[in-house]
Amino acid sequence: MYETTDASALVGAAPPRRVQADLADNAFCRDLLEGLSQSPRKIAPKYFYDAQGSALFDRICELPEYYPTRTERRILERHGREIAHVMGPQADIIEFGAGSLEKIRIVLRSFEASALPRRYFPIDISGSHLEEAARRLHDECPWLQVRPVAADYMDEAQLSGLDASTGRRVGFFPGSTIGNFDAHEALAFLRLAARVLEGGGLLVGVDLVKDPQTLHRAYNDAQGVTAAFNLNLLRRANVELSADFDLREFAHYAFYEPRKQRIEMHLVSQCAQTVRVAGQNFRFEEGESLHTENSHKFTIEGFRKLAVAAGFRPGPVWTDEARLFSVHWLESPRRGAASE
């Protein structure tokens, strides 16, 4: 089922294109050109999150169909004291893919005054969105050192901003973003996190396998906000990469693939067309898609096995009553202590 949408209303008409001085040094450009050259075509979901994409995702999180955000919030609120206890006093909190910083506020409220975290390092690829969100959090929590890091958290070389962290490091990775990775990428991220957080731990949100209809509604909302979020990727390419995607000729398409236990999101060409990106032409046939996101769902035991393979020691797991969502605490032992 293809979901059509009024692109100009939901995503916004693209402003005049600006050609960047050197697209060869632009990671978005390189990855999109590479993804369009593959069969099937694909692009990493991290490129959803320019300022407009981040704002659209914030709207998705408030939709009635989108259960992950509100369910995870309730888990964090209900079990906040337990979570604060395992994270420990005076920690440095590192949030991977921080977004709007809404969930960290729930975690911070759970600490006793004598055990408050010392520093908070939100990492996000959208620098402008991150700076504003970090400023608001610091205004609310002036006792907390907020040090935003504009980076791709999957690129360890970009994480030099974490050098200022000198205390016990605990990671925060909410929202089941771990599900956007394939198996190899998920393992690579967890191994990176285990290195960065050595001697501390990671609090991670994990979406669970469930009724496919619940999943379908969550990614095909009645207001079309998820469709706008998906199409915003093309608008971003038009603005930043001198592309000429006609948003009216692409449709949002999301479905659950039960054998792979994942939601797939695509942008489907509604007609045969040629698209130009950074001076290169790409032919789309009618019905051909650009694969923009996977959202894998896990069993609790399946995720714990993945964490062990990455070098973590699984700890407590908290879920809601309906077992829609889970929050895991993973200990990251110091090197040489893993087998003790």
Side-chain angles (χ1 to χ4, degrees):
M1 72 224 82
Y2 297 159
E3 179 175 336
T4 58
T5 184
D6 181 347
S8 62
L10 290 173
V11 180
R17 286 179 284 163
R18 60 177 186 272
V19 180
Q20 297 189 355
D22 190 359
L23 291 178
D25 291 334
N26 184 297
F28 179 31
C29 184
R30 292 195 305 271
D31 288 352
L32 183 56
L33 291 176
E34 180 181 353
L36 289 171
S37 300
Q38 297 177 10
S39 182
R41 290 168 165 158
K42 63 180 180 180
I43 183 67
K46 65 184 178 182
Y47 293 114
F48 283 136
Y49 298 99
D50 64 347
Q52 189 159 332
S54 296
L56 283 165
F57 185 72
D58 289 346
R59 288 180 58 195
I60 288 172
C61 292
E62 301 301 325
L63 293 169
E65 300 97 330
Y66 195 74
Y67 65 87
T69 300
R70 63 174 177 271
T71 306
E72 186 178 37
R73 282 175 179 163
R74 289 170 186 160
I75 294 170
L76 293 174
E77 289 166 351
R78 180 171 297 177
H79 300 283
R81 289 299 174 89
E82 300 164 62
I83 289 168
H85 176 73
V86 296
M87 295 180 88
Q90 290 88 49
D92 287 352
I93 298 179
I94 298 167
E95 182 171 0
F96 301 95
S100 62
L101 316 190
E102 288 305 314
K103 290 173 187 170
I104 193 62
R105 288 171 165 82
I106 301 173
V107 174
L108 293 174
R109 289 196 296 267
S110 301
F111 283 87
E112 299 285 352
S114 61
L116 288 169
R118 295 187 301 175
R119 304 178 189 88
Y120 171 58
F121 297 82
I123 306 170
D124 200 272
I125 199 170
S126 178
S128 59
H129 187 76
L130 177 64
E131 287 288 343
E132 176 59 24
R135 184 195 61 75
R136 291 196 303 268
L137 179 64
H138 181 68
D139 288 346
E140 296 171 24
C141 305
W143 49 266
L144 181 67
Q145 296 181 43
V146 181
R147 303 191 177 186
V149 179
D152 178 354
Y153 58 78
M154 288 293 288
D155 186 347
E156 198 164 356
Q158 295 188 30
L159 301 183
S160 59
L162 300 181
D163 293 345
S165 171
T166 58
R168 169 179 156 89
R169 292 180 172 184
V170 296
F172 186 39
F173 196 42
S176 198
T177 307
I178 190 74
N180 294 148
F181 303 139
D182 62 26
H184 173 76
E185 292 168 336
L187 184 60
F189 166 74
L190 289 172
R191 284 175 172 165
L192 180 152
R195 292 193 299 272
V196 170
L197 305 170
E198 182 182 354
L202 176 66
L203 187 70
V204 54
V206 178
D207 202 5
L208 299 176
V209 173
K210 60 181 65 62
D211 169 35
Q213 288 301 317
T214 300
L215 291 168
H216 176 80
R217 288 191 294 270
Y219 292 85
N220 293 278
D221 62 278
Q223 296 180 46
V225 182
T226 308
F229 175 70
N230 202 4
L231 284 160
N232 184 65
L233 181 74
L234 304 185
R235 184 208 62 83
R236 181 182 180 187
N238 288 349
V239 172
E240 297 183 18
L241 308 181
S242 193
D244 63 356
F245 287 101
D246 185 342
L247 275 61
R248 297 166 298 182
E249 299 296 347
F250 285 87
H252 166 71
Y253 181 45
F255 62 94
Y256 182 62
E257 168 49 82
R259 292 167 297 180
K260 298 179 180 179
Q261 295 183 333
R262 72 186 190 192
I263 286 282
E264 292 188 15
M265 283 212 320
H266 295 253
L267 289 165
V268 180
S269 178
Q270 300 289 77
C271 63
Q273 57 181 308
T274 298
V275 175
R276 191 167 182 82
V277 180
Q280 297 187 34
N281 291 332
F282 296 92
R283 178 71 177 175
F284 279 84
E285 300 302 328
E286 183 177 359
E288 190 175 0
S289 79
L290 174 62
H291 189 169
T292 55
E293 184 180 56
N294 291 320
S295 183
H296 292 85
K297 311 306 170 185
F298 295 86
T299 64
I300 288 174
E301 285 308 311
F303 183 75
R304 286 167 68 87
K305 288 179 181 178
L306 179 65
V308 169
F312 283 102
R313 290 176 179 164
V317 183
W318 301 277
T319 67
D320 59 292
E321 295 88 343
R323 293 178 72 86
L324 296 174
F325 200 90
S326 60
V327 174
H328 296 242
W329 173 250
L330 309 175
E331 291 280 351
S332 181
R334 295 195 179 278
R335 291 172 190 170
S339 59
E340 293 178 2

